[in-house]
Amino acid sequence: MNLDIERGALPALDAQDRMLAHALQIDGRAPFRRIAEVLGVSDQTVARRYSRLRSAGTLRVLGLTDPLRLGEVPWFVRIRCAPSAAAQIGEALARRRDTTWVHVAGGGTEIFCLVRSRGPHGDTLLEKLPGTPRVVDVSAHCLLHVFFGQDRSLITKTGPLTDEQVIALKAQDAPDAPEFPVADPAPAACPLEEADRRLFDALARDGRAGIGELAAATGWSQTTVRRRLAELRSAGVLYFDVEYAPRVLERNFRASLWLSVEPSHLDAAGEALASHPEVAFAAATTGPTNIFASITTHDAGSFYRYLTGPVAALPGILGTSTAPIHRTIKTAGPFVPSTP
């Protein structure tokens, strides 16, 4: 299942739904019992609400992996192409296991995606793209450092839970919950078994999959699954994110933002950008534009005010580049083609 953000208008979350979404963003595998205690409702209410939201395609929990902690090299790839080719090329990219975030931007003349490579040069994808018919230009920039994103989202910044509720949700009474904070920010690559990759595949489909289901997928015992989940989460390899349509938070304008920042101000600018309520993701990259950010605002006017206000005030800014997102073909989870 993919969240189809272009298919009709989804209603905004009500107050209790937003509390549940915030709780799941803090710990995507927190037992419904613990969430219910923190929210002051029954277990059945929490389970029923989550089931309704997930079935409606409003939000879901995904178990995802940090490529840097797996020894992979993530690349931000921008592809300029003929407008008539964008959908075909975008879907071909989306079907690849090594791509996420496949967006069509620039009115259908540009595709933007993240490619996870197990080699330092993007494997064969980046070599093949320039020769693809109707591709005009390809640029790729290596992701170096994440300022904001992964297990933190817009809900982390705007969610309704109090500090006391957040602390209660981080209580370590779940068998596979990690310690907070997670491991060393620059660890060696984590060695994996083939069963780990089957575990990741199952969690990418459903981050709240039951222990029995995960045991069946991996061939491990339930005890081994619980132990391995705890190890992978504590190492920062595995994290859980809440995926939802931007319209759920009543933000209808999405854009990619690239910044060129003086090296001496790169970290300060990135950390400041990460605090902005409009920023869903921010990272340092290689290339002439050395910071990338994913932006969501209410409308184009709000985006303009954001660029001329908070962005303009960032330290060391040398230049900016923007591209409104026209369509999302693939998000962080497995790609499922849209039905006609």
Side-chain angles (χ1 to χ4, degrees):
M1 178 182 71
N2 279 353
L3 295 184
D4 187 353
I5 63 175
E6 277 71 43
R7 184 187 56 205
L10 294 172
L13 301 181
D14 66 24
Q16 287 198 2
D17 287 341
R18 286 176 63 86
M19 293 176 72
L20 173 57
H22 193 180
L24 291 169
Q25 187 68 66
I26 293 166
D27 184 356
R29 286 188 65 84
F32 287 147
R33 168 188 51 77
R34 178 150 54 96
I35 295 175
E37 289 174 355
V38 172
L39 302 188
V41 297
S42 69
D43 301 16
Q44 292 82 359
T45 295
V46 172
R48 184 176 64 251
R49 280 183 173 268
Y50 178 69
S51 178
R52 172 176 54 81
L53 292 170
R54 190 175 190 279
S55 297
T58 305
L59 63 79
R60 58 176 174 164
V61 174
L62 299 178
L64 304 173
T65 56
D66 182 344
L68 296 176
R69 294 177 185 268
L70 291 178
E72 298 175 348
V73 182
W75 293 85
F76 291 109
V77 181
R78 299 178 70 175
I79 305 161
R80 291 177 54 226
C81 61
S84 60
Q88 181 180 359
I89 295 172
E91 291 225 0
L93 288 168
R95 293 177 189 278
R96 294 180 61 100
R97 289 176 59 88
D98 58 354
T99 62
T100 57
W101 297 3
V102 180
H103 302 303
V104 177
T109 61
E110 183 176 357
I111 298 169
F112 170 64
C113 65
L114 182 71
V115 178
R116 296 172 57 143
S117 168
R118 294 190 181 181
H121 306 298
D123 293 335
T124 58
L125 176 59
L126 299 183
E127 298 171 2
K128 291 179 178 179
L129 279 172
T132 303
R134 293 180 290 178
V135 167
V136 177
D137 180 62
V138 177
S139 62
H141 307 283
C142 183
L143 185 153
L144 301 176
H145 174 74
V146 175
F147 295 112
F148 185 83
Q150 296 181 325
D151 60 341
R152 298 175 296 166
S153 76
L154 293 173
I155 294 177
T156 308
K157 300 176 182 178
T158 63
L161 299 184
T162 65
D163 291 343
E164 291 76 14
Q165 288 174 312
V166 170
I167 291 171
L169 282 163
K170 289 183 176 181
Q172 300 306 298
D173 62 352
D176 62 359
E179 296 295 329
F180 291 90
V182 295
D184 178 349
C190 178
L192 298 179
E193 303 174 11
E194 183 56 37
D196 288 315
R197 301 195 183 280
R198 295 196 295 270
L199 175 67
F200 295 154
D201 287 344
L203 291 171
R205 293 189 296 270
D206 180 5
R208 293 189 62 86
I211 294 296
E213 182 180 344
L214 297 177
T218 59
W220 291 332
S221 68
Q222 294 191 16
T223 299
T224 300
V225 170
R226 289 190 177 94
R227 185 184 70 248
R228 190 56 174 157
L229 282 172
E231 291 171 350
L232 293 168
R233 297 183 73 181
S234 293
V237 172
L238 176 66
Y239 66 92
F240 293 88
D241 191 17
V242 177
E243 183 183 69
Y244 53 89
R247 290 174 183 161
V248 164
L249 296 183
E250 300 179 320
R251 297 189 180 192
N252 298 321
F253 189 90
R254 298 173 298 140
S256 295
L257 170 66
W258 288 269
L259 301 176
S260 178
V261 180
E262 294 178 1
S264 60
H265 293 289
L266 183 60
D267 193 63
E271 293 297 336
L273 191 70
S275 69
H276 294 175
E278 297 84 359
V279 174
F281 181 87
T285 75
T286 59
T289 54
N290 49 6
I291 290 183
F292 164 78
S294 177
I295 310 298
T296 66
T297 63
H298 294 291
D299 50 34
S302 300
F303 183 59
Y304 172 78
R305 291 187 291 275
Y306 173 63
L307 290 177
T308 56
V311 172
L314 292 171
I317 296 295
L318 300 174
T320 66
S321 174
T322 61
I325 301 300
H326 171 66
R327 177 189 172 202
T328 294
I329 298 177
K330 183 180 183 181
T331 54
F335 173 64
V336 177
S338 299
T339 54

